Amino acid sequence: MNNADLDIASLGGHTMGTTWQVKLVAARTRDLHPLHAGIQAQLDAIVAQMSTWEAASDISRFNRAAPGSAHVLPPLFAQVLDAALDIAARSEGAFDPTIGPLVALWGFGAQAHARRIPDAATLAATRARCGWQRLHWQEGVLQQPGAAELDLSAIAKGFAVDQASRWLRQQGISAALVEVGGELHGYGRKPDGQPWRVLVEAGPEESAQASHAPRVLALDDLAVATSGDRWHHFEQDGRQFSHTLDPRTGAPVDHAAAAVTVVAADAMAADGWATALTVMGVEQGLAFATAHDLAARFVSRGAAGIVERMSPAFRQRIDASPAARA
């Protein structure tokens, strides 16, 4: 098809308590309604399996299940749990899909209690219900060890992005930029032959700091996700608490980075590792990313303003093309 017959179309909607946006390259004459409905159906299927906000979802049923009960997980749920447990093991517990009870205890999520700082005894009892090592997951069957509550919110949005991208490819869409709640994946080329270029998320303090150069990424079959306390935190008794919990302590991450951005081959990995590296903190997280060739960028607040640090793999991903500088 001649590129003159192609156009960039925009679609959007709501899912997972946030919004989704898709830019795609398609023939000017193509009916976009089936594509919009199909994307929404893909996202709705993920919600039906993995949303803790839906009482009838597969994850909610598992979380309520009796100790010792066995559960055959649907394919999408199983795929995400596999990835979550892999990141949990490789990060030595900085990422943990079993922190549902802690999420609720600290006043977050669907089952949240009143937002407050828990006492030591309650925190210890809640932590005893968590731990990815408690899960027995084999050949598609997950056993409920007793009072375990899965929470895949730190990885499911990324998976939703990947799933929408896969589905669009199956529909013959040769190029698209998919975004769900800030997590992104781009593939293929626009009609002008250029890749999808995106600006790494920046807060007002970065935008106001003239010495801080905008970071542009070319998403040529790549994904990007950002985590950190810039968007998610609360204050109590004069202290600021991140919404990101450290599974290793059971408490919000102390001195969390303002933002941690990860670039990866898929959005599920980028999403999960952005959370894991946020939990690790700037020093440990940067060392881990460098050692494991993860493309990660850390933005933290210093006495003189915003401090940016990048792993070598991330620095290599920054788009230095003339189009990016224009």
Side-chain angles (χ1 to χ4, degrees), residues 118-179:
D119 60 76
T122 303
L123 181 59
T126 305
R127 286 185 64 197
R129 297 170 53 193
C130 305
W132 62 275
Q133 300 96 331
R134 298 182 66 218
L135 296 180
H136 188 267
W137 165 236
Q138 193 170 14
E139 297 180 357
V141 178
L142 180 64
Q143 187 177 72
Q144 168 60 268
E149 294 182 17
L150 296 176
D151 186 325
L152 298 172
S153 59
I155 196 170
K157 280 193 298 183
F159 177 74
V161 170
D162 295 332
Q163 190 69 2
S165 289
R166 278 189 288 268
W167 186 82
L168 285 169
R169 289 184 197 236
Q170 292 168 4
Q171 310 313 305
I173 299 300
S174 62
L177 178 66
V178 179
E179 181 258 332

Side-chain angles (χ1 to χ4, degrees), residues 1 5-11 24-39 167-168 171-173:
M1 183 179 294
D5 299 324
L6 299 175
D7 200 1
I8 297 177
S10 296
L11 304 174
L24 57 88
V25 176
R28 298 176 189 273
T29 56
R30 182 157 183 172
D31 182 3
L32 299 178
H33 292 91
L35 292 175
H36 186 282
I39 294 168
W167 186 82
L168 285 169
Q171 310 313 305
I173 299 300

Side-chain angles (χ1 to χ4, degrees), residues 194 197 216 319-326:
Q194 294 295 316
R197 289 188 171 89
V216 177
D319 190 0
S321 68
R325 294 194 298 268

Side-chain angles (χ1 to χ4, degrees), residues 25-241:
V25 176
R28 298 176 189 273
T29 56
R30 182 157 183 172
D31 182 3
L32 299 178
H33 292 91
L35 292 175
H36 186 282
I39 294 168
Q40 190 67 59
Q42 296 299 312
L43 301 176
D44 290 349
I46 295 170
V47 169
Q49 293 183 27
M50 287 170 267
S51 173
T52 56
W53 295 85
E54 300 292 333
S57 69
D58 294 281
I59 197 170
S60 292
R61 289 200 299 270
F62 172 82
N63 289 347
R64 295 192 303 265
S69 56
H71 304 260
V72 178
L73 301 187
L76 301 183
F77 191 170
Q79 187 176 343
V80 175
L81 183 60
D82 274 336
L85 292 175
D86 177 64
I87 296 175
R90 291 167 61 194
S91 69
E92 297 183 342
F95 183 94
D96 192 330
T98 70
I99 63 169
L102 286 168
V103 171
L105 180 66
W106 282 93
F108 309 136
Q111 311 303 320
H113 307 306
R115 185 163 294 169
R116 58 182 175 79
I117 302 174
D119 60 76
T122 303
L123 181 59
T126 305
R127 286 185 64 197
R129 297 170 53 193
C130 305
W132 62 275
Q133 300 96 331
R134 298 182 66 218
L135 296 180
H136 188 267
W137 165 236
Q138 193 170 14
E139 297 180 357
V141 178
L142 180 64
Q143 187 177 72
Q144 168 60 268
E149 294 182 17
L150 296 176
D151 186 325
L152 298 172
S153 59
I155 196 170
K157 280 193 298 183
F159 177 74
V161 170
D162 295 332
Q163 190 69 2
S165 289
R166 278 189 288 268
W167 186 82
L168 285 169
R169 289 184 197 236
Q170 292 168 4
Q171 310 313 305
I173 299 300
S174 62
L177 178 66
V178 179
E179 181 258 332
V180 177
E183 324 302 13
L184 293 148
H185 177 260
Y187 72 89
R189 298 278 169 152
K190 294 184 289 185
D192 63 1
Q194 294 295 316
W196 303 99
R197 289 188 171 89
V198 300
L199 186 67
V200 175
E201 290 190 70
E205 61 266 68
E206 281 178 84
S207 301
Q209 194 163 319
S211 62
H212 189 78
R215 300 305 183 188
V216 177
L217 301 171
L219 299 187
D220 193 356
D221 209 7
L222 286 172
V224 58
T226 300
S227 182
D229 78 346
R230 173 183 295 150
W231 302 272
H232 305 295
H233 63 266
F234 72 96
E235 292 187 10
Q236 185 170 325
D237 300 332
R239 291 181 61 193
Q240 181 169 295
F241 294 89

Side-chain angles (χ1 to χ4, degrees), residues 260 262 272-282 285-286 288-289 294 296 298:
V260 178
V262 173
W273 279 113
T275 297
L277 295 178
T278 297
V279 170
M280 290 181 192
V282 176
L286 182 59
F288 184 96
L294 288 174
F298 298 78

